[in-house]
Amino acid sequence: MQKFDFDNVPDRRGSSSCKWDSAPSGDVIPLWVADMDFPAAPCIIDAMRKRLEHGVFGYVKVPDSFYDALINWFDSRHSWKIDRDMVSYTIGVVPALSAVIKALTNPGDGVIIQSPVYNCFFSSVRNNGCTLIDSPLKRIETPDGFTYKMDFEDLRRKAALPSTRLMLLCNPHNPAGRIWTREELAEMAAICRENGVTVISDEIHCEFTMPGYEYTPYATVDPHAVICCSPSKSFNIAGLQTACIISPDPETKALIDKAININETCDVNPFGVVAFQAAYNEGYPWLKALLDYIYGNYKTLRQFFASELPQLKVCDIEGTYLAWIDISSLGIKSTDLEKIALERFGVWINPGEMYGQEAYIRINMACPRKRLEAGLQRLKKAIESLE
């Protein structure tokens, strides 16, 4: 069995990395943006090297093999059968979300989100002139921390509003780490269907599941939904800017394709197409090893908070590589803690305010374990300085 090394990674400083080169100094440990520090799977690097050696990088005609890779992956891995005619490609999941919102709404229409949620949900709705309708998740206390559930009563009220046209679903959920069950998704789908609300599901984190949890493609519950997906998070190739939109019917797809062209996000690059195919055709052994490593990082983080920072509660994570931490006991805003931790102690975390919850922080665990441990130690010192 092939082994992969997630402990020894290249130095990303000076590589024009948003995660690393945005820091105010070279000594910062960045545990913020959802970008892994691990090199891409060897099969991806090999495929890109072969493409590089060709030497010509003109405009791309996306081949049939691109669609085959997507279809075969989701059929074999997740029992989701995708029709080739349903697929549109674009440069990323966030541009995909914006294109779908533009295609299916008019300015002023309501779009439901479920906070805390990925920050680009907020901006994608507002940038298209739509009205944010928040149906917040319900926090549930657990023996070791907390988790979240959908508030179906509130969702039913919000879906019934005359202005509501769309709902943005995060599946799996960022930053709450939920892997929604088929039963939860079915109840949500029924509410939206009864009220004529179309669901757009962001499934970019779908491969990141903790042991004992299984991702359910939302389209297998609601065949009328629009799905946005990409291997970019799973295989750490976000900079290659390739994603797909799965549309339920020809009319919807035509509207979305028009919006993609209006936004000028219809041209993907040759390396993105090659990497996409290599990931879905050959990348599973690497992905499986990665998931095991991230689970080890999650256990390390849980143990650290339990022993070193027991006053802070950690959300029970079922999926993603993002830890969601309750800092309300500190009596400080998350933006203030971010500033102190970054400027004085050299560790960068995301403030919960970005996701609609001020009293939380988000930590990216997708890095070598020793780096995660060092970052957590710096965070501890930042918190101790508050006393």
Side-chain angles (χ1 to χ4, degrees), residues 179-215:
I179 301 288
W180 303 116
T181 66
R182 181 170 293 276
E183 291 73 23
E184 288 173 307
L185 294 176
E187 186 166 355
M188 190 200 87
I191 291 170
C192 290
R193 185 168 54 250
E194 290 166 7
N195 291 281
V197 175
T198 299
V199 176
I200 309 170
S201 186
D202 172 357
E203 310 205 345
I204 198 169
H205 289 280
C206 67
E207 304 303 334
F208 291 104
T209 56
M210 296 294 174
Y213 294 95
E214 183 177 354
Y215 149 75

PDB file of all heavy atoms in Angstrom, residues 179-215:
ATOM      1  N   ILE A 179     -22.310  16.768   9.335  1.00  0.00           N
ATOM      2  CA  ILE A 179     -22.646  15.948   8.173  1.00  0.00           C
ATOM      3  C   ILE A 179     -24.149  15.698   8.274  1.00  0.00           C
ATOM      4  O   ILE A 179     -24.606  14.896   9.077  1.00  0.00           O
ATOM      5  CB  ILE A 179     -21.890  14.610   8.190  1.00  0.00           C
ATOM      6  CG1 ILE A 179     -20.382  14.836   8.202  1.00  0.00           C
ATOM      7  CG2 ILE A 179     -22.313  13.747   7.005  1.00  0.00           C
ATOM      8  CD1 ILE A 179     -19.814  15.341   6.906  1.00  0.00           C
ATOM      9  N   TRP A 180     -24.925  16.427   7.519  1.00  0.00           N
ATOM     10  CA  TRP A 180     -26.381  16.319   7.629  1.00  0.00           C
ATOM     11  C   TRP A 180     -26.828  14.906   7.277  1.00  0.00           C
ATOM     12  O   TRP A 180     -26.382  14.316   6.296  1.00  0.00           O
ATOM     13  CB  TRP A 180     -27.069  17.331   6.719  1.00  0.00           C
ATOM     14  CG  TRP A 180     -26.681  18.753   6.978  1.00  0.00           C
ATOM     15  CD1 TRP A 180     -26.025  19.598   6.130  1.00  0.00           C
ATOM     16  CD2 TRP A 180     -26.912  19.496   8.181  1.00  0.00           C
ATOM     17  NE1 TRP A 180     -25.841  20.827   6.722  1.00  0.00           N
ATOM     18  CE2 TRP A 180     -26.367  20.798   7.984  1.00  0.00           C
ATOM     19  CE3 TRP A 180     -27.518  19.207   9.402  1.00  0.00           C
ATOM     20  CZ2 TRP A 180     -26.423  21.784   8.956  1.00  0.00           C
ATOM     21  CZ3 TRP A 180     -27.564  20.196  10.382  1.00  0.00           C
ATOM     22  CH2 TRP A 180     -27.030  21.456  10.158  1.00  0.00           C
ATOM     23  N   THR A 181     -27.740  14.366   8.077  1.00  0.00           N
ATOM     24  CA  THR A 181     -28.264  13.029   7.811  1.00  0.00           C
ATOM     25  C   THR A 181     -29.285  13.076   6.677  1.00  0.00           C
ATOM     26  O   THR A 181     -29.836  14.136   6.341  1.00  0.00           O
ATOM     27  CB  THR A 181     -28.946  12.443   9.052  1.00  0.00           C
ATOM     28  OG1 THR A 181     -30.115  13.232   9.355  1.00  0.00           O
ATOM     29  CG2 THR A 181     -27.999  12.441  10.249  1.00  0.00           C
ATOM     30  N   ARG A 182     -29.537  11.934   6.087  1.00  0.00           N
ATOM     31  CA  ARG A 182     -30.542  11.860   5.020  1.00  0.00           C
ATOM     32  C   ARG A 182     -31.906  12.304   5.542  1.00  0.00           C
ATOM     33  O   ARG A 182     -32.672  12.975   4.829  1.00  0.00           O
ATOM     34  CB  ARG A 182     -30.614  10.436   4.466  1.00  0.00           C
ATOM     35  CG  ARG A 182     -31.616  10.255   3.331  1.00  0.00           C
ATOM     36  CD  ARG A 182     -31.463   8.897   2.679  1.00  0.00           C
ATOM     37  NE  ARG A 182     -30.186   8.786   1.988  1.00  0.00           N
ATOM     38  CZ  ARG A 182     -29.975   9.224   0.745  1.00  0.00           C
ATOM     39  NH1 ARG A 182     -30.953   9.806   0.063  1.00  0.00           N
ATOM     40  NH2 ARG A 182     -28.795   9.070   0.182  1.00  0.00           N
ATOM     41  N   GLU A 183     -32.219  11.969   6.786  1.00  0.00           N
ATOM     42  CA  GLU A 183     -33.515  12.346   7.372  1.00  0.00           C
ATOM     43  C   GLU A 183     -33.623  13.862   7.525  1.00  0.00           C
ATOM     44  O   GLU A 183     -34.671  14.457   7.230  1.00  0.00           O
ATOM     45  CB  GLU A 183     -33.696  11.657   8.718  1.00  0.00           C
ATOM     46  CG  GLU A 183     -33.877  10.141   8.647  1.00  0.00           C
ATOM     47  CD  GLU A 183     -32.602   9.389   8.304  1.00  0.00           C
ATOM     48  OE1 GLU A 183     -31.493   9.945   8.551  1.00  0.00           O
ATOM     49  OE2 GLU A 183     -32.686   8.246   7.788  1.00  0.00           O
ATOM     50  N   GLU A 184     -32.551  14.498   7.987  1.00  0.00           N
ATOM     51  CA  GLU A 184     -32.569  15.959   8.115  1.00  0.00           C
ATOM     52  C   GLU A 184     -32.730  16.630   6.754  1.00  0.00           C
ATOM     53  O   GLU A 184     -33.523  17.576   6.598  1.00  0.00           O
ATOM     54  CB  GLU A 184     -31.269  16.431   8.775  1.00  0.00           C
ATOM     55  CG  GLU A 184     -31.171  16.115  10.252  1.00  0.00           C
ATOM     56  CD  GLU A 184     -29.807  16.442  10.819  1.00  0.00           C
ATOM     57  OE1 GLU A 184     -28.784  15.978  10.264  1.00  0.00           O
ATOM     58  OE2 GLU A 184     -29.746  17.172  11.828  1.00  0.00           O
ATOM     59  N   LEU A 185     -31.982  16.148   5.787  1.00  0.00           N
ATOM     60  CA  LEU A 185     -32.059  16.737   4.449  1.00  0.00           C
ATOM     61  C   LEU A 185     -33.440  16.530   3.832  1.00  0.00           C
ATOM     62  O   LEU A 185     -33.959  17.422   3.153  1.00  0.00           O
ATOM     63  CB  LEU A 185     -30.978  16.128   3.558  1.00  0.00           C
ATOM     64  CG  LEU A 185     -29.529  16.447   3.944  1.00  0.00           C
ATOM     65  CD1 LEU A 185     -28.562  15.689   3.042  1.00  0.00           C
ATOM     66  CD2 LEU A 185     -29.252  17.937   3.899  1.00  0.00           C
ATOM     67  N   ALA A 186     -34.043  15.375   4.083  1.00  0.00           N
ATOM     68  CA  ALA A 186     -35.374  15.102   3.531  1.00  0.00           C
ATOM     69  C   ALA A 186     -36.419  16.048   4.130  1.00  0.00           C
ATOM     70  O   ALA A 186     -37.316  16.529   3.412  1.00  0.00           O
ATOM     71  CB  ALA A 186     -35.755  13.645   3.785  1.00  0.00           C
ATOM     72  N   GLU A 187     -36.327  16.296   5.442  1.00  0.00           N
ATOM     73  CA  GLU A 187     -37.289  17.217   6.063  1.00  0.00           C
ATOM     74  C   GLU A 187     -37.100  18.634   5.535  1.00  0.00           C
ATOM     75  O   GLU A 187     -38.070  19.347   5.250  1.00  0.00           O
ATOM     76  CB  GLU A 187     -37.144  17.188   7.588  1.00  0.00           C
ATOM     77  CG  GLU A 187     -38.203  18.018   8.296  1.00  0.00           C
ATOM     78  CD  GLU A 187     -38.292  17.744   9.782  1.00  0.00           C
ATOM     79  OE1 GLU A 187     -37.585  16.836  10.271  1.00  0.00           O
ATOM     80  OE2 GLU A 187     -39.087  18.439  10.461  1.00  0.00           O
ATOM     81  N   MET A 188     -35.845  19.046   5.397  1.00  0.00           N
ATOM     82  CA  MET A 188     -35.558  20.365   4.843  1.00  0.00           C
ATOM     83  C   MET A 188     -36.089  20.477   3.417  1.00  0.00           C
ATOM     84  O   MET A 188     -36.693  21.491   3.030  1.00  0.00           O
ATOM     85  CB  MET A 188     -34.053  20.605   4.865  1.00  0.00           C
ATOM     86  CG  MET A 188     -33.641  22.027   4.532  1.00  0.00           C
ATOM     87  SD  MET A 188     -31.924  22.103   4.009  1.00  0.00           S
ATOM     88  CE  MET A 188     -32.129  21.763   2.268  1.00  0.00           C
ATOM     89  N   ALA A 189     -35.861  19.431   2.622  1.00  0.00           N
ATOM     90  CA  ALA A 189     -36.323  19.434   1.229  1.00  0.00           C
ATOM     91  C   ALA A 189     -37.840  19.545   1.147  1.00  0.00           C
ATOM     92  O   ALA A 189     -38.373  20.264   0.280  1.00  0.00           O
ATOM     93  CB  ALA A 189     -35.841  18.165   0.520  1.00  0.00           C
ATOM     94  N   ALA A 190     -38.534  18.857   2.031  1.00  0.00           N
ATOM     95  CA  ALA A 190     -39.997  18.902   2.018  1.00  0.00           C
ATOM     96  C   ALA A 190     -40.501  20.306   2.317  1.00  0.00           C
ATOM     97  O   ALA A 190     -41.443  20.798   1.672  1.00  0.00           O
ATOM     98  CB  ALA A 190     -40.556  17.901   3.028  1.00  0.00           C
ATOM     99  N   ILE A 191     -39.868  20.971   3.281  1.00  0.00           N
ATOM    100  CA  ILE A 191     -40.264  22.344   3.624  1.00  0.00           C
ATOM    101  C   ILE A 191     -40.055  23.272   2.429  1.00  0.00           C
ATOM    102  O   ILE A 191     -40.930  24.082   2.087  1.00  0.00           O
ATOM    103  CB  ILE A 191     -39.464  22.841   4.843  1.00  0.00           C
ATOM    104  CG1 ILE A 191     -39.887  22.076   6.096  1.00  0.00           C
ATOM    105  CG2 ILE A 191     -39.644  24.349   5.040  1.00  0.00           C
ATOM    106  CD1 ILE A 191     -39.003  22.325   7.303  1.00  0.00           C
ATOM    107  N   CYS A 192     -38.918  23.163   1.785  1.00  0.00           N
ATOM    108  CA  CYS A 192     -38.623  24.032   0.645  1.00  0.00           C
ATOM    109  C   CYS A 192     -39.547  23.730  -0.531  1.00  0.00           C
ATOM    110  O   CYS A 192     -40.041  24.645  -1.201  1.00  0.00           O
ATOM    111  CB  CYS A 192     -37.159  23.884   0.251  1.00  0.00           C
ATOM    112  SG  CYS A 192     -36.014  24.590   1.463  1.00  0.00           S
ATOM    113  N   ARG A 193     -39.803  22.467  -0.765  1.00  0.00           N
ATOM    114  CA  ARG A 193     -40.673  22.080  -1.874  1.00  0.00           C
ATOM    115  C   ARG A 193     -42.090  22.610  -1.665  1.00  0.00           C
ATOM    116  O   ARG A 193     -42.725  23.125  -2.597  1.00  0.00           O
ATOM    117  CB  ARG A 193     -40.677  20.557  -2.022  1.00  0.00           C
ATOM    118  CG  ARG A 193     -41.446  20.050  -3.226  1.00  0.00           C
ATOM    119  CD  ARG A 193     -41.166  18.568  -3.482  1.00  0.00           C
ATOM    120  NE  ARG A 193     -41.415  17.740  -2.296  1.00  0.00           N
ATOM    121  CZ  ARG A 193     -40.459  17.151  -1.584  1.00  0.00           C
ATOM    122  NH1 ARG A 193     -39.189  17.319  -1.908  1.00  0.00           N
ATOM    123  NH2 ARG A 193     -40.766  16.406  -0.537  1.00  0.00           N
ATOM    124  N   GLU A 194     -42.590  22.504  -0.432  1.00  0.00           N
ATOM    125  CA  GLU A 194     -43.952  22.986  -0.125  1.00  0.00           C
ATOM    126  C   GLU A 194     -44.093  24.480  -0.357  1.00  0.00           C
ATOM    127  O   GLU A 194     -45.191  24.973  -0.644  1.00  0.00           O
ATOM    128  CB  GLU A 194     -44.286  22.673   1.334  1.00  0.00           C
ATOM    129  CG  GLU A 194     -44.495  21.189   1.618  1.00  0.00           C
ATOM    130  CD  GLU A 194     -44.488  20.903   3.115  1.00  0.00           C
ATOM    131  OE1 GLU A 194     -44.451  21.869   3.911  1.00  0.00           O
ATOM    132  OE2 GLU A 194     -44.512  19.707   3.483  1.00  0.00           O
ATOM    133  N   ASN A 195     -42.978  25.213  -0.254  1.00  0.00           N
ATOM    134  CA  ASN A 195     -43.031  26.667  -0.358  1.00  0.00           C
ATOM    135  C   ASN A 195     -42.410  27.204  -1.642  1.00  0.00           C
ATOM    136  O   ASN A 195     -42.211  28.415  -1.768  1.00  0.00           O
ATOM    137  CB  ASN A 195     -42.336  27.277   0.854  1.00  0.00           C
ATOM    138  CG  ASN A 195     -43.109  27.067   2.135  1.00  0.00           C
ATOM    139  OD1 ASN A 195     -44.077  27.773   2.423  1.00  0.00           O
ATOM    140  ND2 ASN A 195     -42.706  26.056   2.915  1.00  0.00           N
ATOM    141  N   GLY A 196     -42.117  26.321  -2.577  1.00  0.00           N
ATOM    142  CA  GLY A 196     -41.572  26.761  -3.855  1.00  0.00           C
ATOM    143  C   GLY A 196     -40.189  27.367  -3.768  1.00  0.00           C
ATOM    144  O   GLY A 196     -39.831  28.237  -4.578  1.00  0.00           O
ATOM    145  N   VAL A 197     -39.396  26.912  -2.810  1.00  0.00           N
ATOM    146  CA  VAL A 197     -38.039  27.435  -2.600  1.00  0.00           C
ATOM    147  C   VAL A 197     -37.030  26.455  -3.212  1.00  0.00           C
ATOM    148  O   VAL A 197     -37.040  25.264  -2.885  1.00  0.00           O
ATOM    149  CB  VAL A 197     -37.745  27.628  -1.096  1.00  0.00           C
ATOM    150  CG1 VAL A 197     -36.295  28.042  -0.875  1.00  0.00           C
ATOM    151  CG2 VAL A 197     -38.704  28.658  -0.510  1.00  0.00           C
ATOM    152  N   THR A 198     -36.170  26.946  -4.077  1.00  0.00           N
ATOM    153  CA  THR A 198     -35.130  26.121  -4.689  1.00  0.00           C
ATOM    154  C   THR A 198     -33.898  26.104  -3.799  1.00  0.00           C
ATOM    155  O   THR A 198     -33.472  27.142  -3.291  1.00  0.00           O
ATOM    156  CB  THR A 198     -34.750  26.661  -6.078  1.00  0.00           C
ATOM    157  OG1 THR A 198     -35.899  26.631  -6.924  1.00  0.00           O
ATOM    158  CG2 THR A 198     -33.634  25.846  -6.701  1.00  0.00           C
ATOM    159  N   VAL A 199     -33.319  24.924  -3.629  1.00  0.00           N
ATOM    160  CA  VAL A 199     -32.134  24.774  -2.786  1.00  0.00           C
ATOM    161  C   VAL A 199     -30.885  24.725  -3.656  1.00  0.00           C
ATOM    162  O   VAL A 199     -30.823  24.008  -4.654  1.00  0.00           O
ATOM    163  CB  VAL A 199     -32.218  23.497  -1.924  1.00  0.00           C
ATOM    164  CG1 VAL A 199     -30.927  23.295  -1.124  1.00  0.00           C
ATOM    165  CG2 VAL A 199     -33.416  23.579  -0.987  1.00  0.00           C
ATOM    166  N   ILE A 200     -29.883  25.523  -3.266  1.00  0.00           N
ATOM    167  CA  ILE A 200     -28.541  25.453  -3.845  1.00  0.00           C
ATOM    168  C   ILE A 200     -27.637  24.871  -2.769  1.00  0.00           C
ATOM    169  O   ILE A 200     -27.515  25.430  -1.681  1.00  0.00           O
ATOM    170  CB  ILE A 200     -28.013  26.841  -4.242  1.00  0.00           C
ATOM    171  CG1 ILE A 200     -29.026  27.596  -5.097  1.00  0.00           C
ATOM    172  CG2 ILE A 200     -26.670  26.720  -4.954  1.00  0.00           C
ATOM    173  CD1 ILE A 200     -28.657  29.052  -5.307  1.00  0.00           C
ATOM    174  N   SER A 201     -27.004  23.750  -3.064  1.00  0.00           N
ATOM    175  CA  SER A 201     -26.180  23.083  -2.065  1.00  0.00           C
ATOM    176  C   SER A 201     -24.701  23.188  -2.412  1.00  0.00           C
ATOM    177  O   SER A 201     -24.266  22.760  -3.478  1.00  0.00           O
ATOM    178  CB  SER A 201     -26.578  21.605  -1.943  1.00  0.00           C
ATOM    179  OG  SER A 201     -25.891  20.992  -0.880  1.00  0.00           O
ATOM    180  N   ASP A 202     -23.936  23.777  -1.502  1.00  0.00           N
ATOM    181  CA  ASP A 202     -22.476  23.864  -1.610  1.00  0.00           C
ATOM    182  C   ASP A 202     -21.905  22.598  -0.974  1.00  0.00           C
ATOM    183  O   ASP A 202     -21.967  22.417   0.236  1.00  0.00           O
ATOM    184  CB  ASP A 202     -22.004  25.123  -0.872  1.00  0.00           C
ATOM    185  CG  ASP A 202     -20.483  25.211  -0.756  1.00  0.00           C
ATOM    186  OD1 ASP A 202     -19.778  24.284  -1.193  1.00  0.00           O
ATOM    187  OD2 ASP A 202     -20.000  26.223  -0.205  1.00  0.00           O
ATOM    188  N   GLU A 203     -21.312  21.728  -1.795  1.00  0.00           N
ATOM    189  CA  GLU A 203     -20.830  20.437  -1.310  1.00  0.00           C
ATOM    190  C   GLU A 203     -19.318  20.289  -1.515  1.00  0.00           C
ATOM    191  O   GLU A 203     -18.795  19.193  -1.696  1.00  0.00           O
ATOM    192  CB  GLU A 203     -21.632  19.307  -1.967  1.00  0.00           C
ATOM    193  CG  GLU A 203     -23.133  19.572  -1.834  1.00  0.00           C
ATOM    194  CD  GLU A 203     -24.032  18.361  -1.887  1.00  0.00           C
ATOM    195  OE1 GLU A 203     -23.577  17.290  -2.307  1.00  0.00           O
ATOM    196  OE2 GLU A 203     -25.223  18.509  -1.488  1.00  0.00           O
ATOM    197  N   ILE A 204     -18.608  21.409  -1.394  1.00  0.00           N
ATOM    198  CA  ILE A 204     -17.172  21.421  -1.641  1.00  0.00           C
ATOM    199  C   ILE A 204     -16.394  20.614  -0.610  1.00  0.00           C
ATOM    200  O   ILE A 204     -15.315  20.097  -0.896  1.00  0.00           O
ATOM    201  CB  ILE A 204     -16.654  22.878  -1.715  1.00  0.00           C
ATOM    202  CG1 ILE A 204     -15.281  22.923  -2.389  1.00  0.00           C
ATOM    203  CG2 ILE A 204     -16.609  23.506  -0.335  1.00  0.00           C
ATOM    204  CD1 ILE A 204     -14.819  24.324  -2.741  1.00  0.00           C
ATOM    205  N   HIS A 205     -16.931  20.464   0.605  1.00  0.00           N
ATOM    206  CA  HIS A 205     -16.242  19.702   1.656  1.00  0.00           C
ATOM    207  C   HIS A 205     -16.746  18.255   1.741  1.00  0.00           C
ATOM    208  O   HIS A 205     -16.527  17.589   2.752  1.00  0.00           O
ATOM    209  CB  HIS A 205     -16.450  20.376   3.018  1.00  0.00           C
ATOM    210  CG  HIS A 205     -15.697  21.670   3.173  1.00  0.00           C
ATOM    211  ND1 HIS A 205     -14.364  21.729   3.489  1.00  0.00           N
ATOM    212  CD2 HIS A 205     -16.107  22.958   3.057  1.00  0.00           C
ATOM    213  CE1 HIS A 205     -13.979  22.991   3.573  1.00  0.00           C
ATOM    214  NE2 HIS A 205     -15.005  23.762   3.308  1.00  0.00           N
ATOM    215  N   CYS A 206     -17.398  17.759   0.691  1.00  0.00           N
ATOM    216  CA  CYS A 206     -18.131  16.497   0.827  1.00  0.00           C
ATOM    217  C   CYS A 206     -17.248  15.292   1.131  1.00  0.00           C
ATOM    218  O   CYS A 206     -17.733  14.305   1.707  1.00  0.00           O
ATOM    219  CB  CYS A 206     -18.965  16.228  -0.418  1.00  0.00           C
ATOM    220  SG  CYS A 206     -18.012  15.890  -1.918  1.00  0.00           S
ATOM    221  N   GLU A 207     -15.974  15.325   0.783  1.00  0.00           N
ATOM    222  CA  GLU A 207     -15.124  14.161   1.038  1.00  0.00           C
ATOM    223  C   GLU A 207     -14.573  14.123   2.467  1.00  0.00           C
ATOM    224  O   GLU A 207     -14.045  13.093   2.899  1.00  0.00           O
ATOM    225  CB  GLU A 207     -13.956  14.131   0.046  1.00  0.00           C
ATOM    226  CG  GLU A 207     -14.370  14.143  -1.411  1.00  0.00           C
ATOM    227  CD  GLU A 207     -15.301  13.009  -1.786  1.00  0.00           C
ATOM    228  OE1 GLU A 207     -15.274  11.951  -1.122  1.00  0.00           O
ATOM    229  OE2 GLU A 207     -16.070  13.178  -2.754  1.00  0.00           O
ATOM    230  N   PHE A 208     -14.693  15.218   3.188  1.00  0.00           N
ATOM    231  CA  PHE A 208     -14.117  15.289   4.531  1.00  0.00           C
ATOM    232  C   PHE A 208     -15.126  14.809   5.571  1.00  0.00           C
ATOM    233  O   PHE A 208     -15.954  15.577   6.057  1.00  0.00           O
ATOM    234  CB  PHE A 208     -13.653  16.715   4.849  1.00  0.00           C
ATOM    235  CG  PHE A 208     -12.474  17.140   4.036  1.00  0.00           C
ATOM    236  CD1 PHE A 208     -12.633  18.010   2.972  1.00  0.00           C
ATOM    237  CD2 PHE A 208     -11.214  16.649   4.313  1.00  0.00           C
ATOM    238  CE1 PHE A 208     -11.549  18.394   2.203  1.00  0.00           C
ATOM    239  CE2 PHE A 208     -10.123  17.026   3.552  1.00  0.00           C
ATOM    240  CZ  PHE A 208     -10.283  17.898   2.494  1.00  0.00           C
ATOM    241  N   THR A 209     -15.054  13.526   5.886  1.00  0.00           N
ATOM    242  CA  THR A 209     -15.940  12.941   6.881  1.00  0.00           C
ATOM    243  C   THR A 209     -15.108  12.275   7.966  1.00  0.00           C
ATOM    244  O   THR A 209     -14.095  11.636   7.690  1.00  0.00           O
ATOM    245  CB  THR A 209     -16.871  11.901   6.242  1.00  0.00           C
ATOM    246  OG1 THR A 209     -16.079  10.908   5.585  1.00  0.00           O
ATOM    247  CG2 THR A 209     -17.801  12.548   5.227  1.00  0.00           C
ATOM    248  N   MET A 210     -15.540  12.432   9.209  1.00  0.00           N
ATOM    249  CA  MET A 210     -14.896  11.758  10.326  1.00  0.00           C
ATOM    250  C   MET A 210     -15.397  10.311  10.404  1.00  0.00           C
ATOM    251  O   MET A 210     -16.474   9.985   9.876  1.00  0.00           O
ATOM    252  CB  MET A 210     -15.200  12.503  11.624  1.00  0.00           C
ATOM    253  CG  MET A 210     -14.632  13.924  11.676  1.00  0.00           C
ATOM    254  SD  MET A 210     -12.832  13.940  11.679  1.00  0.00           S
ATOM    255  CE  MET A 210     -12.520  15.712  11.561  1.00  0.00           C
ATOM    256  N   PRO A 211     -14.638   9.417  11.049  1.00  0.00           N
ATOM    257  CA  PRO A 211     -15.068   8.016  11.150  1.00  0.00           C
ATOM    258  C   PRO A 211     -16.470   7.891  11.734  1.00  0.00           C
ATOM    259  O   PRO A 211     -16.818   8.553  12.710  1.00  0.00           O
ATOM    260  CB  PRO A 211     -14.022   7.406  12.091  1.00  0.00           C
ATOM    261  CG  PRO A 211     -12.799   8.246  11.896  1.00  0.00           C
ATOM    262  CD  PRO A 211     -13.311   9.646  11.669  1.00  0.00           C
ATOM    263  N   GLY A 212     -17.286   7.061  11.103  1.00  0.00           N
ATOM    264  CA  GLY A 212     -18.647   6.822  11.573  1.00  0.00           C
ATOM    265  C   GLY A 212     -19.693   7.720  10.938  1.00  0.00           C
ATOM    266  O   GLY A 212     -20.889   7.560  11.217  1.00  0.00           O
ATOM    267  N   TYR A 213     -19.267   8.651  10.076  1.00  0.00           N
ATOM    268  CA  TYR A 213     -20.216   9.565   9.439  1.00  0.00           C
ATOM    269  C   TYR A 213     -20.134   9.419   7.920  1.00  0.00           C
ATOM    270  O   TYR A 213     -19.068   9.159   7.363  1.00  0.00           O
ATOM    271  CB  TYR A 213     -19.924  11.018   9.831  1.00  0.00           C
ATOM    272  CG  TYR A 213     -20.152  11.267  11.298  1.00  0.00           C
ATOM    273  CD1 TYR A 213     -19.099  11.191  12.205  1.00  0.00           C
ATOM    274  CD2 TYR A 213     -21.427  11.539  11.789  1.00  0.00           C
ATOM    275  CE1 TYR A 213     -19.302  11.398  13.560  1.00  0.00           C
ATOM    276  CE2 TYR A 213     -21.642  11.749  13.141  1.00  0.00           C
ATOM    277  CZ  TYR A 213     -20.571  11.669  14.017  1.00  0.00           C
ATOM    278  OH  TYR A 213     -20.781  11.867  15.359  1.00  0.00           O
ATOM    279  N   GLU A 214     -21.266   9.603   7.263  1.00  0.00           N
ATOM    280  CA  GLU A 214     -21.333   9.418   5.812  1.00  0.00           C
ATOM    281  C   GLU A 214     -22.063  10.595   5.176  1.00  0.00           C
ATOM    282  O   GLU A 214     -23.181  10.945   5.565  1.00  0.00           O
ATOM    283  CB  GLU A 214     -22.060   8.120   5.467  1.00  0.00           C
ATOM    284  CG  GLU A 214     -22.108   7.814   3.982  1.00  0.00           C
ATOM    285  CD  GLU A 214     -22.775   6.485   3.672  1.00  0.00           C
ATOM    286  OE1 GLU A 214     -23.107   5.749   4.627  1.00  0.00           O
ATOM    287  OE2 GLU A 214     -22.967   6.193   2.484  1.00  0.00           O
ATOM    288  N   TYR A 215     -21.410  11.191   4.204  1.00  0.00           N
ATOM    289  CA  TYR A 215     -21.986  12.311   3.455  1.00  0.00           C
ATOM    290  C   TYR A 215     -23.117  11.823   2.553  1.00  0.00           C
ATOM    291  O   TYR A 215     -22.991  10.809   1.870  1.00  0.00           O
ATOM    292  CB  TYR A 215     -20.871  12.970   2.645  1.00  0.00           C
ATOM    293  CG  TYR A 215     -21.276  13.588   1.339  1.00  0.00           C
ATOM    294  CD1 TYR A 215     -21.974  14.796   1.277  1.00  0.00           C
ATOM    295  CD2 TYR A 215     -20.922  12.979   0.129  1.00  0.00           C
ATOM    296  CE1 TYR A 215     -22.318  15.367   0.065  1.00  0.00           C
ATOM    297  CE2 TYR A 215     -21.258  13.546  -1.091  1.00  0.00           C
ATOM    298  CZ  TYR A 215     -21.960  14.738  -1.118  1.00  0.00           C
ATOM    299  OH  TYR A 215     -22.290  15.304  -2.325  1.00  0.00           O
TER     300      TYR A 215
END
